[in-house]
């Protein structure tokens, strides 16, 4: 397995999220423009952040979907940044309250979970946002089983964690 080295592109979403002031928007636009042709995944994520933080949620959703289609997971699932789109959706949801970001976070998490079943955050997001109670409990249980002290579990309600503990007592997700 070839390992791609960490690049500045992986820091782009964090830089953009930190630079949400009107004064920083010009810098942000320039930074994103450098990624358009060479790094389409990061370009679309950057555009989603810029659009979402400016209140253009429809365009942000379009950019998130474009990023999903250009996601590096399609050809290499060893990268540790693969769950960044889920995180961005959560940021935008928490800042705006727009439920479309919650739904997009769920779409990303469900898709990525099949390719990266070891990422606790993906299970935690589903446990937080799914409307299906069984799915929520099972995913909270999986997150607990993978990493009981995970920071991503901190937002999962206590009663959900109790139900997940009960699920784990009755089921062994990884076999005997």
């Amino acid at each position: 397995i070839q390992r791609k080295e960490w690049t500045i592109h992986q820091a782009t979403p964090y830089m953009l999220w930190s630079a949400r002031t009107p004064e920083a928007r010009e810098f942000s636009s320039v930074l994103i423009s450098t990624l358009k042709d060479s790094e389409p995944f990061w370009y679309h994520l950057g555009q989603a952040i810029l659009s979402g933080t400016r209140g253009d949620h429809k365009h942000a959703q379009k950019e998130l979907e474009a990023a999903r289609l250009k996601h590096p997971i399609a050809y290499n699932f060893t990268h540790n940044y693969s769950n960044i789109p889920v995180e961005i959706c959560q940021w935008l949801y928490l800042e705006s309250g727009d439920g479309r970001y919650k739904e997009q976070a769920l779409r990303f998490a469900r898709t990525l979970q099949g390719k990266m079943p070891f990422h606790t955050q993906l299970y935690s997001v589903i446990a937080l946002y799914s409307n299906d109670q069984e799915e929520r409990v099972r995913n909270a249980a999986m997150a607990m089983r993978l990493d009981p002290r995970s920071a991503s579990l901190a937002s999962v309600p206590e009663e959900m964690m109790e139900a997940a503990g009960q699920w784990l007592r009755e089921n062994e997700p990884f076999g005997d």
Side-chain angles (χ1 to χ4, degrees), residues 6-18:
W6 188 90
T7 66
I8 192 70
H9 305 117
Q10 294 159 319
T12 301
Y14 301 102
M15 289 188 290
L16 293 173
W17 191 258
S18 299

Side-chain angles (χ1 to χ4, degrees), residues 35-175:
L35 304 173
K36 187 172 187 174
D37 296 323
S38 63
E39 297 287 342
F41 172 68
W42 299 107
Y43 170 77
H44 291 298
L45 287 180
Q47 288 291 1
I49 291 170
L50 286 182
S51 297
T53 57
R54 291 177 180 156
D56 187 352
H57 303 297
K58 184 175 180 178
H59 188 255
Q61 287 295 308
K62 179 181 161 209
E63 293 293 343
L64 286 166
E65 183 59 18
R68 189 182 69 76
L69 296 173
K70 298 286 186 182
H71 199 295
I73 197 83
Y75 55 87
N76 186 344
F77 63 90
T78 61
H79 294 298
N80 62 358
Y81 58 75
S82 296
N83 57 350
I84 286 176
V86 176
E87 204 169 357
I88 291 169
C89 292
Q90 285 185 286
W91 297 341
L92 291 167
Y93 171 64
L94 293 171
E95 184 165 280
S96 71
D98 188 322
R100 291 176 292 184
Y101 294 117
K102 182 171 75 167
E103 292 306 314
Q104 186 69 284
L106 282 167
R107 271 194 300 280
F108 269 117
R110 288 176 180 135
T111 299
L112 295 172
Q113 192 180 64
K115 298 183 186 271
M116 301 183 322
F118 45 85
H119 273 266
T120 306
Q121 181 189 17
L122 302 174
Y123 294 98
S124 299
V125 165
I126 295 170
L128 267 174
Y129 297 143
S130 177
N131 291 324
D132 179 329
Q133 187 68 11
E134 270 186 53
E135 182 182 41
R136 291 183 74 200
V137 170
R138 186 179 70 256
N139 278 274
M142 290 296 292
M144 282 175 64
R145 181 71 165 83
L146 288 168
D147 185 0
R149 295 186 185 135
S150 171
S152 65
L153 282 170
S155 300
V156 177
E158 189 174 325
E159 60 274 1
M160 180 63 56
M161 296 301 289
E162 289 171 10
Q166 180 63 37
W167 189 92
L168 282 172
R169 286 188 286 283
E170 296 169 3
N171 301 277
E172 175 47 58
F174 302 114

